[in-house]
PDB file of all heavy atoms in Angstrom:
ATOM      1  N   THR A 358     -32.695  97.148  19.491  1.00  0.00           N
ATOM      2  CA  THR A 358     -32.369  98.296  18.665  1.00  0.00           C
ATOM      3  C   THR A 358     -33.564  99.048  18.135  1.00  0.00           C
ATOM      4  O   THR A 358     -33.466 100.249  17.804  1.00  0.00           O
ATOM      5  CB  THR A 358     -31.579  97.801  17.432  1.00  0.00           C
ATOM      6  OG1 THR A 358     -30.508  96.997  17.871  1.00  0.00           O
ATOM      7  CG2 THR A 358     -31.030  98.959  16.614  1.00  0.00           C
ATOM      8  N   GLY A 362     -33.367 102.913  17.859  1.00  0.00           N
ATOM      9  CA  GLY A 362     -32.906 103.269  16.520  1.00  0.00           C
ATOM     10  C   GLY A 362     -33.861 104.255  15.863  1.00  0.00           C
ATOM     11  O   GLY A 362     -33.456 105.230  15.216  1.00  0.00           O
ATOM     12  N   ASP A 363     -35.163 104.028  16.038  1.00  0.00           N
ATOM     13  CA  ASP A 363     -36.132 104.912  15.421  1.00  0.00           C
ATOM     14  C   ASP A 363     -36.022 106.344  15.979  1.00  0.00           C
ATOM     15  O   ASP A 363     -36.095 107.315  15.241  1.00  0.00           O
ATOM     16  CB  ASP A 363     -37.546 104.394  15.642  1.00  0.00           C
ATOM     17  CG  ASP A 363     -38.600 105.043  14.732  1.00  0.00           C
ATOM     18  OD1 ASP A 363     -38.500 104.829  13.520  1.00  0.00           O
ATOM     19  OD2 ASP A 363     -39.459 105.758  15.258  1.00  0.00           O
ATOM     20  N   ILE A 366     -32.781 108.047  14.586  1.00  0.00           N
ATOM     21  CA  ILE A 366     -32.922 108.520  13.211  1.00  0.00           C
ATOM     22  C   ILE A 366     -33.725 109.819  13.195  1.00  0.00           C
ATOM     23  O   ILE A 366     -33.383 110.769  12.462  1.00  0.00           O
ATOM     24  CB  ILE A 366     -33.587 107.437  12.330  1.00  0.00           C
ATOM     25  CG1 ILE A 366     -32.669 106.195  12.178  1.00  0.00           C
ATOM     26  CG2 ILE A 366     -33.972 107.997  10.961  1.00  0.00           C
ATOM     27  CD1 ILE A 366     -31.418 106.432  11.387  1.00  0.00           C
ATOM     28  N   ARG A 367     -34.790 109.885  13.966  1.00  0.00           N
ATOM     29  CA  ARG A 367     -35.588 111.117  14.027  1.00  0.00           C
ATOM     30  C   ARG A 367     -34.747 112.264  14.645  1.00  0.00           C
ATOM     31  O   ARG A 367     -34.945 113.418  14.287  1.00  0.00           O
ATOM     32  CB  ARG A 367     -36.824 110.920  14.892  1.00  0.00           C
ATOM     33  CG  ARG A 367     -37.881 110.052  14.291  1.00  0.00           C
ATOM     34  CD  ARG A 367     -38.966 109.712  15.314  1.00  0.00           C
ATOM     35  NE  ARG A 367     -39.871 108.683  14.835  1.00  0.00           N
ATOM     36  CZ  ARG A 367     -40.969 108.955  14.144  1.00  0.00           C
ATOM     37  NH1 ARG A 367     -41.329 110.183  13.921  1.00  0.00           N
ATOM     38  NH2 ARG A 367     -41.752 107.967  13.738  1.00  0.00           N
ATOM     39  N   HIS A 369     -31.459 112.522  14.445  1.00  0.00           N
ATOM     40  CA  HIS A 369     -30.454 112.918  13.457  1.00  0.00           C
ATOM     41  C   HIS A 369     -31.070 113.813  12.365  1.00  0.00           C
ATOM     42  O   HIS A 369     -30.433 114.769  11.907  1.00  0.00           O
ATOM     43  CB  HIS A 369     -29.878 111.648  12.800  1.00  0.00           C
ATOM     44  CG  HIS A 369     -28.886 111.955  11.714  1.00  0.00           C
ATOM     45  ND1 HIS A 369     -27.560 112.253  11.952  1.00  0.00           N
ATOM     46  CD2 HIS A 369     -29.035 112.000  10.369  1.00  0.00           C
ATOM     47  CE1 HIS A 369     -26.962 112.478  10.833  1.00  0.00           C
ATOM     48  NE2 HIS A 369     -27.800 112.334   9.857  1.00  0.00           N
ATOM     49  N   SER A 370     -32.276 113.510  11.963  1.00  0.00           N
ATOM     50  CA  SER A 370     -32.898 114.311  10.868  1.00  0.00           C
ATOM     51  C   SER A 370     -33.464 115.640  11.369  1.00  0.00           C
ATOM     52  O   SER A 370     -33.906 116.452  10.574  1.00  0.00           O
ATOM     53  CB  SER A 370     -34.046 113.506  10.258  1.00  0.00           C
ATOM     54  OG  SER A 370     -35.169 113.505  11.117  1.00  0.00           O
ATOM     55  N   ASP A 389     -22.133 101.055  20.517  1.00  0.00           N
ATOM     56  CA  ASP A 389     -21.645 101.382  19.187  1.00  0.00           C
ATOM     57  C   ASP A 389     -22.664 102.222  18.424  1.00  0.00           C
ATOM     58  O   ASP A 389     -22.318 103.238  17.806  1.00  0.00           O
ATOM     59  CB  ASP A 389     -21.335 100.062  18.473  1.00  0.00           C
ATOM     60  CG  ASP A 389     -20.981 100.273  17.023  1.00  0.00           C
ATOM     61  OD1 ASP A 389     -20.128 101.162  16.746  1.00  0.00           O
ATOM     62  OD2 ASP A 389     -21.554  99.613  16.136  1.00  0.00           O
ATOM     63  N   LEU A 390     -23.923 101.791  18.462  1.00  0.00           N
ATOM     64  CA  LEU A 390     -24.955 102.535  17.720  1.00  0.00           C
ATOM     65  C   LEU A 390     -25.152 103.930  18.245  1.00  0.00           C
ATOM     66  O   LEU A 390     -25.216 104.909  17.483  1.00  0.00           O
ATOM     67  CB  LEU A 390     -26.296 101.749  17.781  1.00  0.00           C
ATOM     68  CG  LEU A 390     -27.487 102.406  17.101  1.00  0.00           C
ATOM     69  CD1 LEU A 390     -27.299 102.457  15.584  1.00  0.00           C
ATOM     70  CD2 LEU A 390     -28.771 101.637  17.378  1.00  0.00           C
ATOM     71  N   LYS A 393     -22.412 106.487  17.388  1.00  0.00           N
ATOM     72  CA  LYS A 393     -22.414 106.943  16.003  1.00  0.00           C
ATOM     73  C   LYS A 393     -23.101 108.327  15.931  1.00  0.00           C
ATOM     74  O   LYS A 393     -22.835 109.116  15.037  1.00  0.00           O
ATOM     75  CB  LYS A 393     -23.220 105.998  15.129  1.00  0.00           C
ATOM     76  CG  LYS A 393     -22.523 104.707  14.768  1.00  0.00           C
ATOM     77  CD  LYS A 393     -23.417 103.910  13.797  1.00  0.00           C
ATOM     78  CE  LYS A 393     -23.048 102.441  13.712  1.00  0.00           C
ATOM     79  NZ  LYS A 393     -21.618 102.182  13.395  1.00  0.00           N
ATOM     80  N   ASN A 515     -42.096  96.261  15.146  1.00  0.00           N
ATOM     81  CA  ASN A 515     -42.499  97.298  14.240  1.00  0.00           C
ATOM     82  C   ASN A 515     -43.516  98.239  14.848  1.00  0.00           C
ATOM     83  O   ASN A 515     -43.417  99.462  14.706  1.00  0.00           O
ATOM     84  CB  ASN A 515     -43.148  96.652  12.993  1.00  0.00           C
ATOM     85  CG  ASN A 515     -42.300  96.756  11.773  1.00  0.00           C
ATOM     86  OD1 ASN A 515     -41.381  97.556  11.732  1.00  0.00           O
ATOM     87  ND2 ASN A 515     -42.578  95.931  10.823  1.00  0.00           N
ATOM     88  N   LYS A 518     -42.127 100.387  17.903  1.00  0.00           N
ATOM     89  CA  LYS A 518     -41.334 101.590  17.603  1.00  0.00           C
ATOM     90  C   LYS A 518     -42.176 102.752  17.110  1.00  0.00           C
ATOM     91  O   LYS A 518     -41.941 103.915  17.459  1.00  0.00           O
ATOM     92  CB  LYS A 518     -40.210 101.269  16.641  1.00  0.00           C
ATOM     93  CG  LYS A 518     -40.550 101.281  15.189  1.00  0.00           C
ATOM     94  CD  LYS A 518     -39.340 101.009  14.329  1.00  0.00           C
ATOM     95  CE  LYS A 518     -39.820 100.830  12.903  1.00  0.00           C
ATOM     96  NZ  LYS A 518     -38.878 100.061  12.104  1.00  0.00           N
ATOM     97  N   ASN A 523     -44.653 107.941  18.364  1.00  0.00           N
ATOM     98  CA  ASN A 523     -45.873 108.799  18.355  1.00  0.00           C
ATOM     99  C   ASN A 523     -46.143 109.347  19.720  1.00  0.00           C
ATOM    100  O   ASN A 523     -46.488 110.525  19.881  1.00  0.00           O
ATOM    101  CB  ASN A 523     -47.097 108.026  17.866  1.00  0.00           C
ATOM    102  CG  ASN A 523     -47.047 107.770  16.345  1.00  0.00           C
ATOM    103  OD1 ASN A 523     -46.230 108.372  15.634  1.00  0.00           O
ATOM    104  ND2 ASN A 523     -47.882 106.884  15.848  1.00  0.00           N
TER     105      ASN A 523
ATOM    106  N   THR C 325     -34.678 111.095   5.279  1.00  0.00           N
ATOM    107  CA  THR C 325     -34.021 110.139   6.169  1.00  0.00           C
ATOM    108  C   THR C 325     -34.901 108.967   6.576  1.00  0.00           C
ATOM    109  O   THR C 325     -34.395 107.913   6.915  1.00  0.00           O
ATOM    110  CB  THR C 325     -33.629 110.877   7.500  1.00  0.00           C
ATOM    111  OG1 THR C 325     -32.961 112.066   7.135  1.00  0.00           O
ATOM    112  CG2 THR C 325     -32.784 110.013   8.338  1.00  0.00           C
ATOM    113  N   GLY C 329     -33.197 105.501   6.934  1.00  0.00           N
ATOM    114  CA  GLY C 329     -32.812 105.318   8.341  1.00  0.00           C
ATOM    115  C   GLY C 329     -33.392 104.015   8.889  1.00  0.00           C
ATOM    116  O   GLY C 329     -32.703 103.282   9.607  1.00  0.00           O
ATOM    117  N   ASP C 330     -34.629 103.703   8.579  1.00  0.00           N
ATOM    118  CA  ASP C 330     -35.261 102.512   9.093  1.00  0.00           C
ATOM    119  C   ASP C 330     -34.512 101.277   8.572  1.00  0.00           C
ATOM    120  O   ASP C 330     -34.279 100.313   9.328  1.00  0.00           O
ATOM    121  CB  ASP C 330     -36.703 102.463   8.674  1.00  0.00           C
ATOM    122  CG  ASP C 330     -37.507 101.431   9.460  1.00  0.00           C
ATOM    123  OD1 ASP C 330     -37.628 101.644  10.674  1.00  0.00           O
ATOM    124  OD2 ASP C 330     -37.953 100.426   8.866  1.00  0.00           O
ATOM    125  N   ILE C 333     -31.060 100.948  10.375  1.00  0.00           N
ATOM    126  CA  ILE C 333     -31.171 100.407  11.761  1.00  0.00           C
ATOM    127  C   ILE C 333     -31.395  98.899  11.734  1.00  0.00           C
ATOM    128  O   ILE C 333     -30.739  98.146  12.490  1.00  0.00           O
ATOM    129  CB  ILE C 333     -32.314 101.129  12.558  1.00  0.00           C
ATOM    130  CG1 ILE C 333     -31.966 102.616  12.747  1.00  0.00           C
ATOM    131  CG2 ILE C 333     -32.616 100.430  13.862  1.00  0.00           C
ATOM    132  CD1 ILE C 333     -30.826 102.892  13.700  1.00  0.00           C
ATOM    133  N   ARG C 334     -32.237  98.439  10.845  1.00  0.00           N
ATOM    134  CA  ARG C 334     -32.448  97.005  10.683  1.00  0.00           C
ATOM    135  C   ARG C 334     -31.190  96.279  10.230  1.00  0.00           C
ATOM    136  O   ARG C 334     -30.933  95.119  10.567  1.00  0.00           O
ATOM    137  CB  ARG C 334     -33.558  96.730   9.666  1.00  0.00           C
ATOM    138  CG  ARG C 334     -34.929  97.081  10.143  1.00  0.00           C
ATOM    139  CD  ARG C 334     -35.921  96.999   8.966  1.00  0.00           C
ATOM    140  NE  ARG C 334     -37.206  97.583   9.336  1.00  0.00           N
ATOM    141  CZ  ARG C 334     -38.211  96.869   9.849  1.00  0.00           C
ATOM    142  NH1 ARG C 334     -38.065  95.590  10.096  1.00  0.00           N
ATOM    143  NH2 ARG C 334     -39.347  97.472  10.170  1.00  0.00           N
ATOM    144  N   HIS C 336     -28.086  97.361  10.803  1.00  0.00           N
ATOM    145  CA  HIS C 336     -27.165  97.366  11.919  1.00  0.00           C
ATOM    146  C   HIS C 336     -27.477  96.276  12.938  1.00  0.00           C
ATOM    147  O   HIS C 336     -26.564  95.633  13.518  1.00  0.00           O
ATOM    148  CB  HIS C 336     -27.182  98.728  12.603  1.00  0.00           C
ATOM    149  CG  HIS C 336     -26.300  98.821  13.807  1.00  0.00           C
ATOM    150  ND1 HIS C 336     -24.933  99.068  13.717  1.00  0.00           N
ATOM    151  CD2 HIS C 336     -26.554  98.707  15.131  1.00  0.00           C
ATOM    152  CE1 HIS C 336     -24.415  99.072  14.921  1.00  0.00           C
ATOM    153  NE2 HIS C 336     -25.360  98.844  15.794  1.00  0.00           N
ATOM    154  N   SER C 337     -28.746  96.038  13.194  1.00  0.00           N
ATOM    155  CA  SER C 337     -29.144  95.048  14.217  1.00  0.00           C
ATOM    156  C   SER C 337     -29.041  93.643  13.698  1.00  0.00           C
ATOM    157  O   SER C 337     -29.216  92.693  14.442  1.00  0.00           O
ATOM    158  CB  SER C 337     -30.583  95.326  14.691  1.00  0.00           C
ATOM    159  OG  SER C 337     -31.514  94.918  13.679  1.00  0.00           O
ATOM    160  N   ASP C 356     -23.389 111.689   5.581  1.00  0.00           N
ATOM    161  CA  ASP C 356     -22.959 111.561   7.009  1.00  0.00           C
ATOM    162  C   ASP C 356     -23.656 110.376   7.674  1.00  0.00           C
ATOM    163  O   ASP C 356     -23.011 109.538   8.344  1.00  0.00           O
ATOM    164  CB  ASP C 356     -23.298 112.850   7.718  1.00  0.00           C
ATOM    165  CG  ASP C 356     -23.052 112.742   9.208  1.00  0.00           C
ATOM    166  OD1 ASP C 356     -21.984 112.275   9.616  1.00  0.00           O
ATOM    167  OD2 ASP C 356     -23.965 113.136   9.994  1.00  0.00           O
ATOM    168  N   LEU C 357     -24.968 110.243   7.469  1.00  0.00           N
ATOM    169  CA  LEU C 357     -25.734 109.178   8.108  1.00  0.00           C
ATOM    170  C   LEU C 357     -25.265 107.808   7.589  1.00  0.00           C
ATOM    171  O   LEU C 357     -25.022 106.886   8.365  1.00  0.00           O
ATOM    172  CB  LEU C 357     -27.236 109.384   7.851  1.00  0.00           C
ATOM    173  CG  LEU C 357     -28.149 108.307   8.413  1.00  0.00           C
ATOM    174  CD1 LEU C 357     -28.138 108.288   9.951  1.00  0.00           C
ATOM    175  CD2 LEU C 357     -29.596 108.490   7.932  1.00  0.00           C
ATOM    176  N   LYS C 360     -21.853 106.542   8.806  1.00  0.00           N
ATOM    177  CA  LYS C 360     -21.843 106.037  10.190  1.00  0.00           C
ATOM    178  C   LYS C 360     -21.948 104.520  10.235  1.00  0.00           C
ATOM    179  O   LYS C 360     -21.498 103.902  11.168  1.00  0.00           O
ATOM    180  CB  LYS C 360     -23.080 106.606  10.944  1.00  0.00           C
ATOM    181  CG  LYS C 360     -23.010 108.051  11.396  1.00  0.00           C
ATOM    182  CD  LYS C 360     -24.214 108.403  12.224  1.00  0.00           C
ATOM    183  CE  LYS C 360     -24.465 109.905  12.306  1.00  0.00           C
ATOM    184  NZ  LYS C 360     -23.310 110.666  12.805  1.00  0.00           N
ATOM    185  N   ASN C 482     -44.129 108.104   8.425  1.00  0.00           N
ATOM    186  CA  ASN C 482     -44.190 106.970   9.305  1.00  0.00           C
ATOM    187  C   ASN C 482     -44.656 105.702   8.598  1.00  0.00           C
ATOM    188  O   ASN C 482     -44.072 104.647   8.754  1.00  0.00           O
ATOM    189  CB  ASN C 482     -45.176 107.292  10.423  1.00  0.00           C
ATOM    190  CG  ASN C 482     -44.506 107.490  11.768  1.00  0.00           C
ATOM    191  OD1 ASN C 482     -43.346 107.069  11.948  1.00  0.00           O
ATOM    192  ND2 ASN C 482     -45.176 108.109  12.676  1.00  0.00           N
ATOM    193  N   LYS C 485     -42.180 104.348   5.797  1.00  0.00           N
ATOM    194  CA  LYS C 485     -41.027 103.552   6.199  1.00  0.00           C
ATOM    195  C   LYS C 485     -41.414 102.153   6.628  1.00  0.00           C
ATOM    196  O   LYS C 485     -40.687 101.192   6.331  1.00  0.00           O
ATOM    197  CB  LYS C 485     -40.250 104.298   7.291  1.00  0.00           C
ATOM    198  CG  LYS C 485     -40.733 104.090   8.697  1.00  0.00           C
ATOM    199  CD  LYS C 485     -39.850 104.782   9.671  1.00  0.00           C
ATOM    200  CE  LYS C 485     -40.527 104.753  11.037  1.00  0.00           C
ATOM    201  NZ  LYS C 485     -40.083 105.783  11.903  1.00  0.00           N
ATOM    202  N   ASN C 490     -41.463  96.450   5.225  1.00  0.00           N
ATOM    203  CA  ASN C 490     -42.228  95.192   5.094  1.00  0.00           C
ATOM    204  C   ASN C 490     -42.096  94.599   3.691  1.00  0.00           C
ATOM    205  O   ASN C 490     -41.898  93.408   3.541  1.00  0.00           O
ATOM    206  CB  ASN C 490     -43.690  95.423   5.444  1.00  0.00           C
ATOM    207  CG  ASN C 490     -43.916  95.602   6.924  1.00  0.00           C
ATOM    208  OD1 ASN C 490     -43.030  95.355   7.759  1.00  0.00           O
ATOM    209  ND2 ASN C 490     -45.083  96.100   7.291  1.00  0.00           N
TER     210      ASN C 490
END
Side-chain angles (χ1 to χ4, degrees):
Chain A
T358 309
D363 195 65
I366 294 292
R367 289 171 190 270
H369 177 83
S370 75
D389 173 49
L390 178 66
K393 283 184 198 306
N515 250 342
K518 85 177 171 204
N523 287 347
Chain C
T325 310
D330 195 65
I333 294 291
R334 288 170 191 271
H336 178 82
S337 74
D356 173 49
L357 178 66
K360 284 186 199 304
N482 250 342
K485 84 177 171 203
N490 286 347

